Amino acid sequence: MYSVVAAAFFGVATASSLSSVCTTDYVTSVLPTSSDDIPSGITIDTSSVTASIYRNYSVSDATFWEDMTINFCEVSFAYNHQNADDRIVVQYWMPDPDSFANRFLATGGAAYTINNGSGGADMAGGVAFGAATGYTDGGFPHWGGTDFDDVVILGNGTANWPAIYNWGYRAIAEMTQIGKALTNNFFDVGTNTTKLYSYFIGCSEGGREAISQAQRAPELYDGIVAGAPAMRYAQQQVNHIAAPVQIQTMGHYPPSCVFETVINATINACDGMDGKVDGVVARSDLCFQNFDISTMLGKSYSCAEGSTTSLGLGYGKKRKRQSSSVTPAQNGTISAKDIAVIQDLLTGLKDSDGNLVYFPFQPTAGFGDTTVWDSTTESWTITSPNSNGEWVTKFLHWQNVTELDMTGVTNDDLKAWIVEGMTLYMDSLQTTLPDLTPFHSKGGRLLHFHGEADSSVPPTGSIHYHESVRKVLYPELSFSEGNEQLNDWYRFYLVPGAAHCAINAEQPNAGFPRDNFAHMIQWVEEDVVPTTINATVQSGANEGEVQKICTWPSRPYWKDNNTMICEENASSVSAMLWNLTAYVMPVY
Ligand SMILES: *[C@@H]1O[C@H](CO)[C@@H](O)[C@H](O)[C@H]1NC(C)=O
Ligand SMILES: *[C@@H]1O[C@H](CO)[C@@H](O)[C@H](O)[C@H]1NC(C)=O
Ligand SMILES: *[C@@H]1O[C@H](CO)[C@@H](O)[C@H](O)[C@H]1NC(C)=O
Ligand SMILES: *[C@@H]1O[C@H](CO)[C@@H](O)[C@H](O)[C@H]1NC(C)=O
Ligand SMILES: *[C@@H]1O[C@H](CO)[C@@H](O)[C@H](O)[C@H]1NC(C)=O
Ligand SMILES: *[C@@H]1O[C@H](CO)[C@@H](O)[C@H](O)[C@H]1NC(C)=O
Ligand SMILES: *[C@@H]1O[C@H](CO)[C@@H](O)[C@H](O)[C@H]1NC(C)=O
Ligand SMILES: *[C@@H]1O[C@H](CO)[C@@H](O)[C@H](O)[C@H]1NC(C)=O
Ligand SMILES: *[C@@H]1O[C@H](CO)[C@@H](O)[C@H](O)[C@H]1NC(C)=O
Ligand SMILES: *[C@@H]1O[C@H](CO)[C@@H](O)[C@H](O)[C@H]1NC(C)=O
Ligand SMILES: *[C@@H]1O[C@H](CO)[C@@H](O)[C@H](O)[C@H]1NC(C)=O
Ligand SMILES: [Ca+2]
């Protein structure tokens, strides 16, 4: 099918060149109108149209994409909603008509941004595959300058609901709908073919945006790629401060060297459980079941002065007020209290009745923020929440305050904040609707992946959503029959050793997926099922090696030291399924 489409478009190529279509006059002449089925009540500001040619634009060393050099026309314009006094700017990178392959790709952001996903590489990545590729500023005034957390409240006590819905899913859906119509007009699609293939790609917040489009704008996409989605928003945002609060609740503050020593020992102990000693813990399920942290009791630890204090980066990576603190030289032996704290972190956030509030990170991933050295009191204390606390101050309490006072905050407070957040944002930000029937029945395909050593968004949270979809859509089928049905259109991949939408310095031999768009295109356009996906090693001695990632619920195992198989074991599966028992309502 691909070759037919491509052949048809070589016809366009002879008719038009990049320079002939990349003018404001041409773009203005092909702007979508209401007859192109764009969202109702939208007015495009025709005076805002820009068109600029980029040639030999190159991107290299992007985690998510192979190196590329592309030519395209950058088109942008603004629109507003009827009577809303708003202004939303969309931008589309239109490939050279020579290489246009009848595709549209929508992209999103990360942390509190709605655009420029993968450090800006997603836009170019789409163009490299012949896709007109788009992003939106969501109505937050300056490209790259204003983030959603800057506009979520209008002032103390007043939420900015239009911005919340734009961020939740609406702005991206509009950008896609407008972008598809523009692409059809721009390349004269439809003259010879009837279908423009449409996709979305994103990771982290971009992964949430991906899932939100599958849930809330299913008609717009043929294929959606969702990485490490920060989707269960009320839980996820509070979970960024779970480890420090759990530590505070227990009242014992292990020095940073203890965490580091335990993580290193865990990697060493668990590396070989996957059948291959390569520095990658590809079976954190077996590690969780078989490595007993309490064997570390009494082991000595020693770290030089100045080593890092924070083992993981919070999801709100934009640390607005990060205080730099020097870590003193440390030595000692691991105590029973240290072990108890780490065991508590490895089993997730629990309320005071012991019921599970949220998922832990996998062993070896780290715990997010934990403890820092306070040079004033000369003692260990919990990490300041920095911008991770503003979910509570701004989004829940609607106070224009960034710093959350952590004094006396307990696990039960976190649970209460989560329930409050779910209630407040259930139909905008929560992004957990499990009924994907509309997406499935129009032929949509979902490729969902998550790094197993993610210390920002727990990978078992992704599995929990996959399970929710399975249970809601295939309630009569067994676990394996239901997964078999789901795998026809919604596949999940755990990426061994990978960090949060990033490679992992602690496990440099682990591959990271860089061919996801290629897999999705083949799945949608040629029906090639991604039984495994590629993951490319991007650092260390094996750089460039392409590994295969198994589809959940199967897991990798190396037989005879070098042949990888995808095996499925009930006990391994159960090590990654957690029940969120702390809630009265089901949490999908
Ligand atoms: C459509 O196809 C016809 C015949 O295959 C070709 O002559 C024409 O140039 C094509 N038009 C476009 C817009 O591609
Ligand atoms: C782009 O690269 C090609 C091939 O290297 C070269 O011929 C061309 O002059 C370059 N164009 C620009 C605008 O740099
Ligand atoms: C996107 O990211 C790149 C690289 O960080 C940066 O140069 C560019 O200005 C960003 N663009 C937007 C629209 O934020
Ligand atoms: C919040 O406070 C900051 C700093 O004082 C100020 O710049 C900003 O305009 C305020 N935002 C709102 C929505 O009040
Ligand atoms: C908003 O509330 C915060 C704390 O509750 C306060 O410090 C700040 O002065 C208030 N801002 C305005 C503009 O009232
Ligand atoms: C943990 O391992 C890393 C990477 O090998 C190393 O740099 C670090 O010094 C180790 N830390 C401890 C406490 O063993
Ligand atoms: C351990 O730390 C103490 C001070 O806290 C220091 O006197 C001692 O030399 C250190 N030992 C080692 C082996 O680093
Ligand atoms: C996966 O990697 C192999 C080996 O490098 C490559 O031949 C293949 O094209 C890749 N698959 C996709 C979908 O990119
Ligand atoms: C497995 O392979 C590694 C690297 O090739 C080698 O060092 C190791 O000895 C092998 N282990 C076994 C059990 O064959
Ligand atoms: C796991 O399952 C595979 C088959 O999928 C089987 O060969 C293997 O023995 C099982 N391993 C364990 C530890 O049960
Ligand atoms: C979760 O709940 C299910 C159904 O009640 C139960 O079968 C399973 O054992 C529970 N899992 C855990 C880890 O408690
Ligand atoms: Ca290994």
Side-chain angles (χ1 to χ4, degrees):
M1 183 176 273
Y2 166 74
S3 58
V4 173
V5 170
F9 275 86
F10 290 138
V12 178
T14 52
S16 41
S17 64
L18 189 58
S19 48
S20 72
V21 293
C22 200
T23 66
T24 50
D25 282 351
Y26 179 74
V27 173
T28 306
S29 76
V30 296
L31 282 178
T33 63
S34 55
S35 64
D36 294 315
D37 189 29
I38 61 167
S40 79
I42 272 179
T43 306
I44 293 175
D45 174 4
T46 53
S47 73
S48 67
V49 172
T50 68
S52 324
I53 295 183
Y54 288 79
R55 289 190 200 276
N56 293 351
Y57 181 99
S58 70
V59 173
S60 51
D61 299 325
T63 309
F64 288 86
W65 302 92
E66 310 277 355
D67 291 356
M68 61 188 107
T69 301
I70 53 172
N71 300 323
F72 61 94
C73 176
E74 181 194 84
V75 169
S76 79
F77 50 85
Y79 67 89
N80 76 291
H81 294 105
Q82 214 168 73
N83 300 332
D85 191 26
D86 59 2
R87 181 179 174 85
I88 296 181
V89 180
V90 286
Q91 197 175 103
Y92 303 99
W93 290 11
M94 311 306 269
D96 189 318
D98 264 336
S99 53
F100 177 62
N102 216 29
R103 298 178 182 127
F104 179 81
L105 175 68
T107 72
Y112 283 125
T113 68
I114 198 171
N115 54 52
N116 229 12
S118 310
D122 285 351
M123 291 293 285
V127 173
F129 283 88
T133 305
Y135 58 2
T136 175
D137 79 349
F140 319 141
H142 312 290
W143 284 105
T146 302
D147 290 352
F148 174 54
D149 57 335
D150 298 326
V151 300
V152 63
I153 54 172
L154 294 170
N156 286 347
T158 306
N160 187 352
W161 287 110
I164 291 165
Y165 284 95
N166 278 335
W167 170 258
Y169 56 90
R170 191 167 177 232
I172 286 176
E174 288 176 351
M175 179 271 289
T176 299
Q177 207 177 339
I178 296 168
K180 287 172 71 174
L182 172 74
T183 303
N184 278 322
N185 297 347
F186 190 98
F187 293 106
D188 204 9
V189 178
T191 313
N192 285 327
T193 62
T194 51
K195 186 158 172 68
L196 173 72
Y197 290 104
S198 176
Y199 302 94
F200 185 95
I201 271 189
C203 203
S204 188
E205 161 58 20
R208 186 201 65 79
E209 290 159 2
I211 301 276
S212 80
Q213 295 301 292
Q215 294 172 357
R216 312 238 184 217
E219 70 287 355
L220 294 178
Y221 304 93
D222 300 296
I224 292 178
V225 178
M231 58 189 290
R232 205 169 287 100
Y233 217 69
Q235 279 81 3
Q236 177 55 42
Q237 299 300 63
V238 168
N239 199 54
H240 284 306
I241 54 173
V245 170
Q246 283 176 262
I247 290 167
Q248 174 164 281
T249 301
M250 293 188 80
H252 174 70
Y253 304 80
S256 60
C257 190
V258 166
F259 292 106
E260 209 180 310
T261 302
V262 167
I263 289 167
N264 283 4
T266 307
I267 293 176
N268 287 334
C270 297
D271 182 356
M273 289 179 188
D274 54 24
K276 188 183 187 183
V277 179
D278 58 352
V280 180
V281 177
R283 291 296 295 273
S284 61
D285 50 344
L286 298 177
C287 185
F288 179 75
Q289 289 174 321
N290 300 322
F291 179 58
D292 183 357
I293 296 288
S294 67
T295 58
M296 298 290 294
L297 181 64
K299 293 267 158 57
S300 61
Y301 62 85
S302 165
C303 292
E305 181 183 307
S307 59
T308 54
T309 56
S310 170
L311 293 164
L313 268 181
Y315 168 63
K317 279 182 186 157
K318 187 188 53 171
R319 297 303 176 102
K320 285 178 173 163
R321 267 190 260 162
Q322 177 132 40
S323 47
S324 59
S325 65
V326 173
T327 308
Q330 303 165 54
N331 61 46
T333 55
I334 294 175
S335 70
K337 282 183 170 178
D338 294 334
I339 299 282
V341 164
I342 289 170
Q343 271 166 341
D344 190 55
L345 297 181
L346 283 171
T347 48
L349 175 64
K350 294 160 287 293
D351 65 16
S352 53
D353 293 329
N355 289 317
L356 187 66
V357 177
Y358 211 53
F359 312 108
F361 301 111
Q362 294 302 105
T364 77
F367 308 100
D369 287 335
T370 51
T371 55
V372 287
W373 177 250
D374 183 338
S375 55
T376 317
T377 59
E378 301 225 305
S379 62
W380 290 91
T381 181
I382 54 173
T383 314
S384 152
N386 295 302
S387 53
N388 284 335
E390 73 181 6
W391 168 258
V392 178
T393 54
K394 279 197 179 174
F395 288 70
L396 299 184
H397 299 159
W398 296 345
Q399 295 296 302
N400 187 19
V401 172
T402 303
E403 208 67 28
L404 172 68
D405 181 0
M406 297 279 270
T407 313
V409 174
T410 64
N411 295 1
D412 286 340
D413 293 322
L414 298 190
K415 174 183 165 181
W417 284 332
I418 287 173
V419 171
E420 192 181 337
M422 271 202 298
T423 308
L424 198 47
Y425 297 112
M426 187 60 89
D427 68 344
S428 53
L429 306 180
Q430 186 63 7
T431 322
T432 50
L433 295 174
D435 180 5
L436 297 181
T437 303
F439 182 67
H440 171 43
S441 51
K442 55 90 61 182
R445 283 172 178 165
L446 181 55
L447 189 165
H448 177 178
F449 69 98
H450 206 132
E452 200 159 337
D454 191 323
S455 64
S456 181
V457 179
T460 48
S462 275
I463 294 174
H464 187 81
Y465 179 70
H466 188 268
E467 277 289 281
S468 295
V469 176
R470 178 184 70 75
K471 288 178 189 161
V472 163
L473 295 188
Y474 307 108
E476 310 297 334
L477 301 183
S478 68
F479 177 80
S480 59
E481 289 166 343
N483 274 309
E484 209 173 297
Q485 294 292 312
L486 210 49
N487 278 339
D488 283 346
W489 60 277
Y490 172 13
R491 302 178 73 92
F492 176 69
Y493 307 84
L494 265 177
V495 183
H500 183 59
C501 300
I503 61 172
N504 181 0
E506 318 241 303
Q507 300 185 41
N509 290 327
F512 194 88
R514 209 160 65 175
D515 294 330
N516 282 341
F517 194 32
H519 283 296
M520 181 51 89
I521 285 170
Q522 290 181 4
W523 195 13
V524 164
E525 299 179 20
E526 300 171 50
D527 222 11
V528 177
V529 177
T531 314
T532 58
I533 56 168
N534 288 349
T536 308
V537 178
Q538 302 187 22
S539 65
N542 302 336
E543 190 169 343
E545 180 188 307
V546 177
Q547 304 170 343
K548 301 290 177 197
I549 306 298
C550 302
T551 303
W552 167 263
S554 71
R555 309 259 36 230
Y557 188 80
W558 276 267
K559 277 199 154 19
D560 310 323
N561 205 19
N562 57 12
T563 311
M564 200 269 277
I565 58 162
C566 296
E567 65 172 28
E568 191 181 324
N569 299 84
S571 72
S572 290
V573 167
S574 69
M576 295 192 129
L577 302 182
W578 296 84
N579 294 330
L580 294 173
T581 48
Y583 303 91
V584 176
M585 249 178 58
V587 173
Y588 294 111

